[in-house]
Amino acid sequence: MKPLQPVTAQARVTYGIGFFVLFVAAWAVATLGGFVPKLFLASPITMVEEGWSLMTKHGFAFDIAITIWRVVGGFILAAALALPLGILMGAYKPVEAFFEPFVSFARYLPASAFIPLLILWAGIGETQKLLVIFIGSFFQLVLMIAVAVGGVRRDLVDAAYTLGSSDGSVVTRVLLPNAAPEIAEILRMVLGWAWTYVIVAELIGSSSGIGHMITDSQALLNTGQIIFGIIIIGLIGLISDFLFKWANQHLFPWAAK
Amino acid sequence: MSKLSIEAVGKLFPARGAAEPTRALTPTTLAIADNDFITILGPSGCGKSTLLRIVAGLETASEGRVLLDGQPVTGPGADRGMVFQSYTLFPWLTIIENIAFGLRERGVSERERLEVARKWAERVGLKGFENHYPKQLSGGMQQRTAIARALANDPKILLLDEPFGALDNQTRALMQEMLLGIWEREQKTVMFVTHDVEEAIFMASRVVVMSARPGRIKADIAVDLPHPRPYTIKTSAAFVALKERLVEEIRVEVVGAH
Ligand SMILES: Nc1ncnc2c1ncn2[C@@H]1O[C@H](COP(=O)(O)OP(=O)(O)OP(=O)(O)O)[C@@H](O)[C@H]1O
Ligand SMILES: [Mg+2]
């Protein structure tokens, strides 16, 4: 193989699906072949059966919807506040000097460790779930957006000034469009992290959602259901990732590699 | 009265950490008449870019002042268009949008903007590429766009900092002819920085030679070659004589700097 040599689109899809098939096959051999006790790991077939019964008999679709709502709600809240702050920090160095040390500190506070505190403050309702996601994503978003906005090429800014741009329009007409594709990429990435926070929040104190179903299944030793829940999370992540990538390509054709 | 007067302008970059402060430009005085095409020729590091950036208002002078039409320059503005050596088109805008950027900043209506931008795209030879993005264009075409973008603003003076420095010889020659053609037709005041002697003579009505760092003006030579100047003029006796003289001036500087 030659380093960095690209593969055709068709080969890429074949390889990608190939690993999934291999993975499921290895799992099937391990479980159906009796190498792993049923109690610890359900077989793919059991998993599908359990999943089907979850969807049809236990209203699991509702749990999925609730979880998606929480992730999207908390994430939009975080993004709506992080965008203006991140942009201001990236563009104006005094604003950055003021917030950056605190935000850098806050970003290392583990969102999951806040869960007990948040339960105390906000109960186990939706507010608490949204807050967990907010804490988990907001500070990360702010810092990464600030870096993206501030990372503009100096000579582009110079060019804009010599074309008559004011300070304000350098921000709106150079810094923002310049950082837009990277910001979209940051949103995609942090949304992925938000998924882990929501599940943790649901594992600890919740009466609905995918994470809640997983804790319930654990009490019943139903590994088929647990695996089905995990796979659903993976699938949703994959789909949202795909949608984001597709949207970015269409919004920013000029940035495509 | 001259269009642009540079009055004892110097630049000292402040010390950074352990490094000594850098004297990039010794106080320099230079007057540029209306519609003059001045080329500034000097060895690398002699402060050519620094001088141009001070005129553009992108850098502040440590001493002296710059007057444009008698008004002191205090910061960058649309009355001084600039073309950089690096490719500085906005990658998210198409060619036509890039050319219209300055007009949009001034609040010109979209129809008028497009009209002016199309006209300039055509003049620099970019017809048919209006809706391309910069990355789809060659370096030469990107610099054509940058020139059109600066001129669409109708600046009082056009500043160019080694705009063709990264181009191959053939493209470079074409670009020189194009820019000279525009200057002959439009009558603009131009300040053009280069370290290429032939380029400096071919374009200029006046060549200003700078000494090695810290830069100061060491020669100021009028170029009396007739206009329009075809490319073939580069082999004429008058051109060759000028070239020999300038090469010697520069050589002394480069040797002295080592
Ligand atoms: N921001 C800066 N801080 C400190 N020193 C600088 C800065 N910019 C330029 N200099 C120094 O000032 C001197 C002149 O730089 P300048 O870029 O004006 O040279 P130049 O004549 O344009 O050279 P070249 O032909 O290589 O472009 C150089 O020695 C450079 O190292
Ligand atoms: Mg330079």
Side-chain angles (χ1 to χ4, degrees), chain B:
Chain B
M1 190 184 64
S2 43
K3 187 79 177 170
L4 184 85
S5 23
I6 296 169
E7 300 180 346
V9 167
K11 180 74 183 178
L12 188 70
F13 284 106
R16 237 196 217 158
E20 296 277 292
T22 317
R23 170 52 79 178
L25 191 66
T26 40
T28 299
T29 299
L30 183 66
I32 300 177
D34 206 10
N35 298 337
D36 235 4
F37 198 127
I38 298 263
T39 53
I40 298 184
L41 186 62
S44 189
C46 73
K48 305 183 296 291
S49 298
T50 306
L51 179 61
L52 213 62
R53 288 174 61 83
I54 291 173
V55 174
L58 295 171
E59 206 88 67
T60 50
S62 312
E63 59 253 290
R65 58 179 191 161
V66 176
L67 300 178
L68 179 64
D69 278 340
Q71 297 297 312
V73 162
T74 53
D79 53 352
R80 282 148 293 140
M82 180 133 174
V83 179
F84 300 80
Q85 175 172 9
S86 56
Y87 301 136
T88 57
L89 297 185
F90 303 113
W92 54 92
L93 298 179
T94 60
I95 295 313
I96 204 81
E97 289 167 340
N98 261 288
I99 298 176
F101 186 93
L103 297 169
R104 194 172 152 196
E105 287 301 82
R106 288 217 308 260
V108 175
S109 76
E110 182 166 3
R111 236 200 51 211
E112 198 179 331
R113 254 177 10 228
L114 284 179
E115 201 175 301
V116 175
R118 282 224 179 80
K119 186 185 78 180
W120 277 108
E122 199 174 332
R123 278 189 198 168
V124 298
L126 284 168
K127 205 169 167 51
F129 292 92
E130 287 92 341
N131 296 318
H132 284 56
Y133 285 104
K135 66 163 186 183
Q136 298 171 296
L137 264 56
S138 68
M141 283 173 148
Q142 292 198 37
Q143 288 307 65
R144 284 170 195 268
T145 314
I147 291 171
R149 181 177 70 174
L151 286 172
N153 247 355
D154 194 21
K156 291 181 178 166
I157 183 168
L158 183 63
L159 311 168
L160 303 104
D161 190 358
E162 301 194 38
F164 312 143
L167 305 177
D168 64 79
N169 277 331
Q170 278 74 26
T171 313
R172 180 186 265 255
L174 282 176
M175 299 284 287
Q176 291 167 357
E177 283 186 296
M178 179 209 79
L179 182 61
L180 198 59
I182 289 176
W183 178 79
E184 283 162 356
R185 261 181 294 130
E186 304 279 325
Q187 291 299 301
K188 276 268 163 223
T189 312
V190 179
M191 225 175 139
F192 186 110
V193 163
T194 179
H195 58 239
D196 183 308
V197 175
E198 216 169 80
E199 180 168 88
I201 303 169
F202 181 63
M203 314 288 287
S205 44
R206 232 173 104 197
V207 182
V208 172
V209 183
M210 288 179 73
S211 68
R213 192 164 76 93
R216 60 187 171 71
I217 293 176
K218 91 174 271 242
D220 189 336
I221 297 161
V223 179
D224 293 323
L225 301 170
H227 283 281
R229 286 180 195 170
Y231 191 64
T232 46
I233 205 167
K234 290 191 180 179
T235 50
S236 74
F239 192 99
V240 173
L242 258 177
K243 188 175 164 187
E244 268 167 14
R245 183 168 159 208
L246 283 171
V247 166
E248 189 51 32
E249 295 269 12
I250 288 285
R251 209 184 70 88
V252 172
E253 287 311 317
V254 178
V255 171
H258 283 271

Side-chain angles (χ1 to χ4, degrees), chain A residues 49-86:
Chain A
E49 283 167 5
E50 292 293 349
W52 180 248
S53 94
L54 266 180
M55 298 301 266
T56 51
K57 301 204 191 89
H58 298 88
F60 187 50
F62 173 74
D63 287 294
I64 296 177
I66 278 280
T67 302
I68 292 180
W69 182 86
R70 286 170 182 156
V71 175
V72 172
F75 184 74
I76 287 179
L77 204 66
L81 292 174
L83 272 169
L85 183 59

Side-chain angles (χ1 to χ4, degrees), chain A residues 152-153 155-166 169-170 173-175 177-178 253-257, chain B residues 53 56 58 76-78 80-82 84 86-92 101-102 104-105 133 135 149-150 153:
Chain A
V152 67
R153 272 170 54 199
D155 52 1
L156 290 186
V157 174
D158 285 346
Y161 275 122
T162 62
L163 290 165
S165 286
S166 62
S169 76
V170 163
R173 295 197 54 207
V174 181
L175 266 49
N178 180 69
W254 56 270
K257 300 248 159 49
Chain B
R53 288 174 61 83
L58 295 171
R80 282 148 293 140
M82 180 133 174
F84 300 80
S86 56
Y87 301 136
T88 57
L89 297 185
F90 303 113
W92 54 92
F101 186 93
R104 194 172 152 196
E105 287 301 82
Y133 285 104
K135 66 163 186 183
R149 181 177 70 174
N153 247 355

Side-chain angles (χ1 to χ4, degrees), chain A residues 11-229:
Chain A
R12 180 185 294 277
V13 172
T14 316
Y15 289 153
I17 292 175
F19 188 77
F20 272 103
V21 171
L22 217 64
F23 180 81
V24 173
W27 174 20
V29 169
T31 47
L32 296 174
F35 298 103
V36 181
K38 271 202 171 72
L39 186 61
F40 294 135
L41 185 60
S43 72
I45 297 169
T46 324
M47 187 275 292
V48 170
E49 283 167 5
E50 292 293 349
W52 180 248
S53 94
L54 266 180
M55 298 301 266
T56 51
K57 301 204 191 89
H58 298 88
F60 187 50
F62 173 74
D63 287 294
I64 296 177
I66 278 280
T67 302
I68 292 180
W69 182 86
R70 286 170 182 156
V71 175
V72 172
F75 184 74
I76 287 179
L77 204 66
L81 292 174
L83 272 169
L85 183 59
I87 290 167
L88 284 175
M89 281 172 62
Y92 300 105
K93 295 304 149 188
V95 180
E96 180 174 62
F98 186 63
F99 287 112
E100 204 262 352
F102 181 81
V103 176
S104 292
F105 153 78
R107 118 169 125 142
Y108 286 106
L109 305 177
S112 27
F114 273 92
I115 295 174
L117 200 57
L118 289 174
I119 292 179
L120 221 58
W121 291 346
I124 57 164
E126 294 309 305
T127 320
Q128 175 251 341
K129 309 285 179 308
L130 293 183
L131 281 175
V132 172
I133 294 160
F134 181 85
I135 292 177
S137 10
F138 175 74
F139 299 105
Q140 304 280 2
L141 281 173
V142 168
L143 282 186
M144 290 162 80
I145 290 171
V147 170
V149 171
V152 67
R153 272 170 54 199
R154 204 47 240 202
D155 52 1
L156 290 186
V157 174
D158 285 346
Y161 275 122
T162 62
L163 290 165
S165 286
S166 62
D167 294 330
S169 76
V170 163
V171 176
T172 54
R173 295 197 54 207
V174 181
L175 266 49
L176 285 188
N178 180 69
E182 205 179 329
I183 291 178
E185 191 59 25
I186 291 167
L187 291 174
R188 180 178 77 86
M189 223 164 65
V190 177
L191 179 62
W193 301 346
W195 271 95
T196 39
Y197 303 131
V198 79
I199 300 301
V200 174
E202 288 178 349
L203 287 177
I204 293 179
S206 186
S207 52
S208 58
I210 302 177
H212 164 73
M213 182 282 285
I214 290 177
T215 350
D216 270 6
S217 309
Q218 186 204 17
L220 304 169
L221 294 177
N222 191 332
T223 53
Q225 288 185 0
I226 296 180
I227 293 169
F228 182 73

